Amino acid sequence: MEFGLDTFGDVTRDASGTLQSQDQVLRDVVTQAVLADQAGVDVIALGEHHRDDFAISAPEILLAHIAAKTARIKLGTAVTVLSTDDPVRLYQRFTTLNALSGGRGEVILGRGSFSESYPLFGYEMKDYETLFEEKLDLFAALNRGGRVKWQGSHRAALNVAAVYPPAGPEGVAAWIGVGGSPESVVRAVRYDMPMMLAIIGGDARRFRPFVDLYHDAYTQTGGTAKPLGVHSPGLIAETDEAAREAAFTGYKALHDRIGRERGWPPITREAFLREVESGSQYVGSPQTVAKKIAATVQALGLSRFNMKYSAGTTGHSHLMRSVELYGTKVIPLVREMLADRQKVAV
């Protein structure tokens, strides 16, 4: 069982309430990742976005910098928007990261939940489905190593003896990010990749049918299911009240900004607290959050739980404390709870 932390480099406010520059946010993310490594967190994953409210647009550069400052933590993305990237360059960036980090790099491939990268890189939303399918197919071919002979409709055909630097016999560690469609689940099985479920609202147990489909599809292929993970938001403080207070203002700023773009109503404190108490906000004291994570891990049969610890404009000092408590308190508590439940089951 692995425990990770995700961030999009959400642009935070300082102690005076002023929004930080994206440059400062990027430096803060590095500091947070170094602390995560020291605190015993297994994975740090950085999401790719191209907006003014998220600072990370080139995760691999940030990950390479983090690699030089850390010893053991895995270095991933959450997610890489494969649809508007070039699979060859993406493969090369991660084989380079692996060479620099001792093989700690990994990528979560997805289509992203925002559309900004499409016009930015010259793609059209009408090709949303075929772009991802074709580019995933090419990345998978590259990741198998050796000669690559591939042809699609969105880029020139490729016929080369190899792509350099090579990843080695195991390839680049690659997951597929899934938002909750059966087609995406089956696609993960078809490419024989671990699946990361993005659960950002509602009871996590409602995703159990997708987990069952994942395992059923593997049974039909005769293969062995790959690891299964969940990405959900959260924030940890010494007490439940302190965590809720720290998380709400920043999360509301994030939710309402996106809501204005998508036609959602503003979130109320009552709605936020319902998500904390019975949904997929992992906000509270170490004991509260550990209990909730352990329940989700057991209900869905997870191999990894990633908490998106950056909560909108919530400040750097709160994020640092959350990272520290996640690594030093929550993870040991969850491992203990899962071990105790395993003993009872036996």
Side-chain angles (χ1 to χ4, degrees), residues 91 95 143-145 166-172:
Y91 173 81
T95 57
N143 211 24
R144 289 192 288 269
E170 300 300 318
V172 173

Side-chain angles (χ1 to χ4, degrees), residues 127-273:
D127 298 322
Y128 182 83
E129 293 292 342
T130 57
L131 278 168
F132 184 69
E133 189 67 55
E134 285 194 5
K135 293 191 176 191
L136 178 60
D137 191 61
L138 176 53
F139 184 89
L142 294 162
N143 211 24
R144 289 192 288 269
R147 174 168 289 281
V148 178
K149 186 175 183 180
W150 180 92
Q151 186 170 355
S153 59
H154 291 290
R155 58 152 289 160
L158 193 64
N159 188 358
V160 295
V163 173
Y164 303 102
E170 300 300 318
V172 173
W175 297 61
I176 292 185
V178 174
S181 74
E183 294 79 11
S184 295
V185 174
V186 173
R187 182 186 291 116
V189 175
R190 189 167 77 248
Y191 284 97
D192 195 26
M193 291 184 182
M195 181 173 72
M196 180 65 68
L197 286 165
I199 305 179
I200 60 174
D203 190 329
R205 290 173 295 183
R206 68 192 176 91
F207 278 74
R208 184 70 214 191
F210 296 103
V211 173
D212 293 339
L213 174 61
Y214 185 66
H215 289 291
D216 290 345
Y218 260 110
T219 298
Q220 291 177 20
T221 66
T224 301
K226 292 292 189 289
L228 177 66
V230 158
H231 150 106
S232 290
L235 191 77
I236 306 156
E238 278 74 12
T239 67
D240 289 349
E241 186 56 38
R244 293 176 178 191
E245 195 61 35
F248 175 67
T249 301
Y251 180 77
K252 178 174 174 58
L254 170 66
H255 179 281
D256 291 356
R257 159 72 185 269
I258 298 171
R260 286 191 294 272
E261 299 169 1
R262 301 185 179 183
W264 304 342
I267 193 168
T268 64
R269 184 178 291 270
E270 291 72 23
F272 173 73
L273 292 178

